[in-house]
Amino acid sequence: MTEPKRLERNQVAVLIPALNESLRIREVVEGALTQCPNVIVVDDGSTDGTGERIADLPVTVLRHEQRQGKGQSLRDGFGEALRRGFKGVLTMDGDGQHSASDLPRLLDAANRHPGCIVIGARLRKRASQPTYRRLANEFGDWGIAWGTGYQIADSQSGQRFYPAEVLALDDIPGENFVFEAQIVISAARTLGTRCVSVPIESRYRSAGSEEQFRPSHFRPLTDLYRITSHIVRQALRYGGIPAVYRSIQANPPIIDDPSGEFGAPPVTSEVRKPA
């Protein structure tokens, strides 16, 4: 079997959905440009001058005149990346909570695990993550496992790598954060795609820190209810609950961590849908 050609940074794009991110957007975009020459920003109807903050930077900006939600921002960004022939997309949020220096690690993991979605899992310095957010993320991980049939470390993280075949999936239902859950589920059910997690740091505003972050758009109770109820309806529709449970138990999270801190050093693999 011929091994897949290695993805290089000029073959992928960094996609940044942005809604009222004037506080950190320039810093985020400049950081992304140091790692990848292709950056796409989707300004989702911002009213705080987000677009003006990056108007002089060499990036592609797509603008929604009115807010359409993160799901539509990602769809539009995926479409632009495919139109331009990129072989994958690295996503990061516009609020500064993701470090651009982690993007090469996600791309390296994508090369070790061809065809997989790679997630930047906030496993390092977890003590800085607010307790309610950590519990919400763990609950979300449990819920999404029922849609995929396998476990994921930090399924709520917005820092990801999507291969082109996942970008091309049509008719992914769900808006806002539901879309990010559904695309993982649809990729698992339609393409047999697995997720691989790469440990990254949690970056949140904390006492004694000079870093400033705007309040998160993620609302734990409301958004987790939407995500979980969406997944439960699908699980009931597909049926086979005992078999899905057995599959979840048999397929723990795959963590790509060369340091060995969170698991064995990674090897190149073709990880696909669990039986």
Side-chain angles (χ1 to χ4, degrees), residues 108-131:
D108 286 344
N111 280 312
R112 285 190 287 267
H113 304 278
C116 289
I117 295 171
V118 180
I119 295 178
R122 295 159 292 186
L123 302 177
R124 302 189 188 280
K125 295 185 179 180
R126 295 196 77 190
S128 66
Q129 188 176 24
T131 300

Side-chain angles (χ1 to χ4, degrees), residues 183-263:
I183 194 168
V184 170
I185 295 169
S186 293
R189 293 188 176 276
T190 304
L191 303 174
T193 305
R194 277 293 300 259
C195 288
V196 173
S197 296
V198 172
I200 64 173
E201 287 188 10
S202 300
R203 302 181 73 206
Y204 295 93
R205 183 177 181 178
S206 58
S209 173
E210 296 182 356
E211 287 193 299
Q212 298 294 313
F213 300 102
R214 60 118 175 102
S216 174
H217 294 310
F218 184 79
R219 296 164 294 178
L221 291 178
T222 301
D223 289 315
L224 276 177
Y225 171 77
R226 288 174 176 170
I227 292 168
T228 304
S229 59
H230 178 82
I231 294 168
V232 166
R233 286 194 296 270
Q234 288 190 75
L236 293 174
R237 185 169 69 249
Y238 284 115
I241 300 300
V244 173
Y245 177 78
R246 289 192 296 270
S247 180
I248 292 170
Q249 295 300 106
N251 290 278
I254 299 171
I255 299 179
D256 183 294
D257 179 29
S259 74
E261 180 182 356
F262 294 93

